[in-house]
Amino acid sequence: MAGKLVIVESPAKAKTIGKFLGKEYKVASCFGHIRDLPESGLAINIEKNYEPEYVISDDKKDVVKELKKLAKNADEILLATDEDREGEAISWHLCEVLGIKPSEAKRVTYTEITEKAVKHAVKHPRKLNMDLVNAQQARRVLDRLVGYEISPVLWRKVKPQLSAGRVQSVAVRLIVEREREIRAFQPVASYKIIAHFTVTDPSGKKVTFKAERPVNFKTENEALNFLEEVKDAVFTVSAIEKRPGKRTPAAPFTTSTLQQEASRKLGFPVAKTMLVAQRLYENGHITYMRTDSTTLSDFALEAIEKEVKKRYGKEFYQKRQYATKNENAQEAHEAIRPSYIDQVSIEGDADDQRLYELIWKRTVASQMADAEIEKTVIDISNNKNSEVLRAQAEVVLFEGFLKVYNESVDEESEADEGAEVMIPPVKNGQQLPLKEMVAIERFTKPAPRYTEASLVKKLEELGIGRPSTYAPTISTIQKRNYVVKESREGVERKYKVFTLCDKKITSEIKTEITGAEKHKLFPTDIGLLVTDFLMENFRDIMDYNFTAEVEKEFDEVALGKMKWYKMIDNFYKPFHQVVETTTKEAQRVSGERLLGEDPASGEPVIARMGRYGPMVQIGKSEESSDKKPRFARLKAGQSIETITLQEALDLFKLPRVLGYDDAGKEVKVNIGRFGPYVQVDKTFASIPKDKDPYTITLEDALTLIREKEDINANRVIHNFEKEGIQVLNGRYGPYIKKGNNNYKIPKDKQAEYLTLEDVLMIIGEQGPTNKGGKRFFKRKR
DNA sequence: CAGTGAGCGAGCTTCCGCTTGACTT
């Protein structure tokens, strides 16, 4: 049955468009890129104008087979991939694979997925834009050259298995530099003056409100002097100012802003946001979730107008167009919005519903009126000096979009000490009885550490990365162990408070917790080391403007003003030279730091990067003597750059013998590759996070060992020694193990009653579930 | 799973952007 074949990228989109076009058209999906450079090897022919070698990706073999079949039976093929650089390239790859001459390809694009737009689009195909395709090839080749030439340098000079890339290395640099800023930060103390006044409101009720000195006093002395001066002062209202203001709603969601808001409002990590959004998209609840555009289609605008007027009244409606801020935006999709605005809520689990609700509110609010605000500022003077205290309050006169949605901000503002937002009506010249005044010591704060979402925001501002890669980039830099997401407990800090009450001044020292962090990104030692190395040797690539600059050149290629391989050549020649000289001349780096002398032996104590991570050692291996240095690995949260001599020496308290069990065997505690553990004979038991290997009691350690022995005793269900096959109890229930391969036990069989014949049959029928161990899982990444 | 901190190694590791799977050592 001949017909027309339309190829789009996403299967969910194929379904929607298929409905619009009817039986005459077959709409299929190619699931994104179908070909790419092979994973291993450079696969770029430097001599032949950087000709890339493309292969069909393993996971796309079936897709391509299916598309070929459909193409053979079609009398017309329409390439309807996304309208951006990558989409154009995907269409070109489809041509190459399906045997279509690029000059004869029929390229279809539309900006809005409505029946009218799509039907019009398939009737008016254009030609393939080879300049745009070449800009994509340049992008792809550049990324491969950068990644696959710098990474091996790191293997030789720092540590095997490391990676570098145009996006990830800069992301790590941001975190490294922020951390160094924070470490170097010296808090500066100052004194904040807060006064509380009590007045009687018209109904006769006593109301207390707060006023502050706009600027803090620099020193304790100044603050105390001020309190002394005003001890007997009379306070009066010296000015009242009312200022109208307004607030404007935020633009509809892009991938980046959705990730930020879901993080702030719902506490989602970016990967979770994308997972949930994907589900909402596949179920037809929202538009595409990987987008850099804030544009709403005419269809959506109309629906939102109707919804706002119906739900809130027409004074709440205001039509708005949002220009996309990001210069790099490709705008192949709409903003992220509900597919059907009249659906306020959807079916699904709690996460689905919360994210949908967020998207609904943001979308609707974006087409609503400004909120009108009245800001009141009251100045309070006294008769003892010229200082002015200020009380501020905000009243919302008209809610506007705030009725639906209010965007959050990144930095949690300082905890307000019992602030009274409402100010009772007071008159100019009115005397105000002082209830209490405090001078409280405050400290300046360093720039905040990045969260996953605030890092995405920063990357987007720099034009680095794309909506489809923000979440994967964040997980890559964590997987490579350049960065860890952690919560850390703060430290106690003392601060002074002077209180003026009933004409007496009292002083007090209080403590607060400072520097506590929740789910923030911290660089690891290897992240610090690699960033320093790259900054030293590949400063151009690490420049925050590198991507923006090459993007300009990709644009030149896309406009046909420059040949793509010429552009790459201009970059590669000097770049490769740097790779060569760095490989030849750069020293191996280990971040070695001398901490001091071991008081017991007089040997030097050194912190450095070892083969298995950051470590400290006492003594050096000298060729002349056969004395061996002692080693210990750093604990989580410790860093080569900041560890002190004492902290380093403490690490050598392990391994230690806690005592002996009933049978007189040694109970040992140590920290291994997988964390702290207790050992008796050949039984190892991990020490759970809530216990410390330095302080764990013999009793607790023995309990852990007994529990572990129990598990071990129940581990082996059957052992067919001759055949080298075992039936074992694993983390996910019983399984069969032969050599390094594992096999599932069919659901209708009970592990206990399996005979050797049963087991052999299962092995014969099944492929191993893990394909010989590591490889299988590595590939999935 | 589990000590390590290498001089002689074999062979391997790695990028960024498009898109969704299939189901567990």
Side-chain angles (χ1 to χ4, degrees), chain A residues 18 410 507 550:
Chain A
D410 266 327
S507 81
V550 290

Side-chain angles (χ1 to χ4, degrees), chain A residues 126-401:
Chain A
R126 63 164 170 84
K127 284 187 172 167
L128 200 62
N129 180 350
M130 278 311 291
D131 291 330
L132 194 53
V133 171
N134 287 335
Q136 191 277 344
Q137 296 206 83
R139 199 281 303 155
R140 182 66 190 93
V141 166
L142 180 120
D143 282 337
R144 170 56 65 101
L145 290 170
V146 168
Y148 273 39
E149 291 217 349
I150 300 184
S151 297
V153 179
L154 294 178
W155 304 341
R156 301 182 65 154
K157 303 297 181 184
V158 189
K159 222 175 116 175
Q161 255 123 16
L162 296 173
S163 67
R166 174 176 58 82
V167 173
Q168 59 169 280
S169 297
V170 177
V172 176
R173 181 186 167 192
L174 284 166
I175 294 164
V176 164
E177 288 189 344
R178 180 60 55 86
E179 189 66 23
R180 293 232 169 95
E181 251 176 67
I182 294 170
R183 285 177 184 177
F185 185 81
Q186 298 288 348
V188 178
S190 64
Y191 283 82
K192 188 187 190 85
I193 303 291
I194 304 170
H196 289 272
F197 297 99
T198 307
V199 291
T200 312
D201 77 0
S203 66
K205 211 173 88 189
K206 295 221 172 204
V207 181
T208 300
F209 71 95
K210 179 176 100 168
E212 292 178 7
R213 184 173 186 266
V215 182
N216 291 2
F217 281 115
K218 287 210 176 79
T219 63
E220 183 181 324
N221 257 342
E222 287 175 89
L224 267 176
N225 283 342
F226 176 73
L227 291 189
E228 283 291 344
E229 273 175 27
V230 301
K231 225 162 47 176
D232 306 304
V234 177
F235 294 89
T236 45
V237 176
S238 56
I240 301 175
E241 195 195 349
K242 290 196 174 181
R243 262 201 308 257
K246 63 173 189 177
R247 272 196 229 141
T248 308
F253 279 134
T254 60
T255 303
S256 150
T257 52
L258 176 68
Q259 289 173 350
Q260 291 161 42
E261 277 291 88
S263 163
R264 292 184 289 228
K265 284 203 152 95
L266 309 179
F268 286 5
V270 299
K272 177 171 178 175
T273 300
M274 294 314 284
L275 194 78
V276 176
Q278 174 89 28
R279 208 154 56 211
L280 292 173
Y281 168 66
E282 283 171 12
N283 290 330
H285 295 313
I286 61 169
T287 54
Y288 198 58
M289 64 284 158
R290 290 186 275 265
T291 177
D292 49 20
S293 170
T294 52
T295 306
L296 295 170
S297 67
D298 292 338
F299 166 80
L301 286 171
E302 213 173 285
I304 299 167
E305 177 175 357
K306 225 163 112 191
E307 190 68 19
V308 172
K309 286 180 177 170
K310 184 186 94 189
R311 209 171 265 279
Y312 309 106
K314 68 175 188 304
E315 69 276 21
F316 279 88
Y317 176 73
Q318 185 176 329
K319 184 172 182 163
R320 298 170 192 271
Q321 288 290 4
Y322 295 88
T324 299
K325 273 190 231 148
N326 188 349
E327 241 181 75
N328 257 339
Q330 310 235 346
E331 306 212 49
H333 306 275
E334 260 191 84
I336 304 170
R337 62 162 174 90
S339 308
Y340 308 101
I341 302 293
D342 54 0
Q343 271 192 25
V344 188
S345 61
I346 47 125
E347 301 272 307
D349 67 20
D351 289 337
D352 294 13
Q353 293 187 7
R354 290 165 76 205
L355 194 68
Y356 180 84
E357 191 190 339
L358 192 68
I359 295 169
W360 188 91
K361 287 181 170 172
R362 173 90 163 208
T363 308
V364 169
S366 80
Q367 297 298 315
M368 289 178 71
D370 289 344
E372 282 165 38
I373 309 241
E374 186 182 69
K375 205 170 178 188
T376 305
V377 181
I378 298 173
D379 283 355
I380 299 160
S381 305
N382 71 79
N383 61 347
K384 300 288 179 185
N385 58 31
S386 60
E387 297 283 344
V388 173
L389 300 174
R390 187 162 287 170
Q392 298 192 47
E394 251 183 29
V395 183
V396 177
L397 299 178
F398 174 65
E399 274 184 292
F401 77 95

Side-chain angles (χ1 to χ4, degrees), chain A residues 526-554:
Chain A
I526 196 72
L528 293 164
L529 202 57
V530 166
T531 300
D532 287 346
F533 181 84
L534 293 176
M535 286 296 286
E536 181 88 13
N537 297 289
F538 296 96
R539 189 161 281 245
D540 293 351
I541 309 290
M542 297 297 278
D543 193 300
Y544 290 129
N545 290 320
F546 177 73
T547 291
E549 272 156 26
V550 290
E551 278 292 340
K552 270 186 221 148
E553 299 189 33
F554 294 149

Side-chain angles (χ1 to χ4, degrees), chain A residues 414-426:
Chain A
E414 208 164 286
D416 237 318
E417 294 100 6
E420 197 71 48
V421 196
M422 289 292 289
I423 299 182
V426 289

